[in-house]
Amino acid sequence: MTTATAPLTSQTGRSQLQESLFSWLTPAPASAPETKASPEPAPVAPTLEEISAPQGPPAEPAPEETKDLSHVWVVAAEVVVTPRIAKTADYRGSFKAAEGQRIDALEVYCRGCRRPYDEVTGQDCAAKVDNTHLIGGDQSTRAKRKIPTPPPSARLIPGGTINRRGIGAYVTRVSRPKC
């Protein structure tokens, strides 16, 4: 079985061969009115120039939402409960208090920055601004840990290296607990 192909000339290039594939995108030319109701032509897809062309003046940028820097106050409380509720609270980590029960507040502090109510009332929450207060300030200026000096009568004996990775560490039980 042989198939004959026509040689491509400047008049019949590949683009012209593929145009027939997309002929349904262009509307049909207007013809004489027919007696039968003809179907409506398919909508024409916008061209790249129409899509990329600006439509009037540029829209104003959306106003940036201001970040909520307020504290979230929590209360450390002391609640007297029955042994049954104590067991539930220990297991679940929460319990339901009875209606009208009086709860003594031990401390009021911010959930984010963990600072007392009296110290930070009227200020922004430091945890929402920057968390450096939780890690002890700027790490580059913080004093380094001091290495303890051994007693004068002690003698340092160099030991071997411990392999903490790979199959060797697994076999010697460095990376897994004893059963």
Side-chain angles (χ1 to χ4, degrees):
M1 177 177 185
T2 61
T3 55
T5 57
L8 292 176
T9 63
S10 62
Q11 294 176 348
T12 58
R14 287 186 177 171
S15 63
Q16 291 179 347
L17 292 175
Q18 292 183 355
E19 282 182 9
S20 62
L21 295 175
F22 302 106
S23 62
W24 59 274
L25 289 175
T26 58
S31 60
E34 298 179 14
T35 56
K36 295 181 183 178
S38 62
E40 294 183 23
V44 178
T47 62
L48 183 60
E49 292 81 20
E50 293 172 352
I51 293 173
S52 62
Q55 303 292 329
E60 294 182 21
E64 293 183 20
E65 295 181 15
T66 57
K67 188 175 179 182
D68 181 24
L69 299 177
S70 61
H71 294 277
V72 177
W73 300 112
V74 292
V75 176
E78 186 174 282
V79 181
V80 179
V81 294
T82 63
R84 190 181 117 249
I85 294 176
K87 181 179 178 183
T88 304
D90 183 48
Y91 178 72
R92 291 190 179 150
S94 65
F95 66 97
K96 292 184 179 179
E99 184 179 344
Q101 182 177 8
R102 180 151 180 95
I103 299 173
D104 298 326
L106 301 175
E107 185 180 8
V108 179
Y109 60 94
C110 175
R111 179 185 284 169
C113 63
R114 303 269 183 197
R115 294 171 66 194
Y117 179 82
D118 298 339
E119 289 181 13
V120 294
T121 304
Q123 299 175 7
D124 291 337
C125 181
K128 293 180 180 177
V129 174
D130 188 12
N131 265 343
T132 55
H133 72 287
L134 294 176
I135 58 172
D138 186 14
Q139 297 295 309
S140 63
T141 60
R142 192 170 75 173
K144 302 296 180 190
R145 292 188 178 100
K146 296 177 183 176
I147 299 174
T149 57
S153 62
R155 192 170 49 137
L156 293 177
I157 302 172
T161 59
I162 298 172
N163 182 13
R164 291 186 170 88
R165 294 188 174 90
I167 190 70
Y170 184 78
V171 172
T172 57
R173 293 180 182 245
V174 172
S175 62
R176 63 187 174 108
K178 293 183 179 181
C179 296

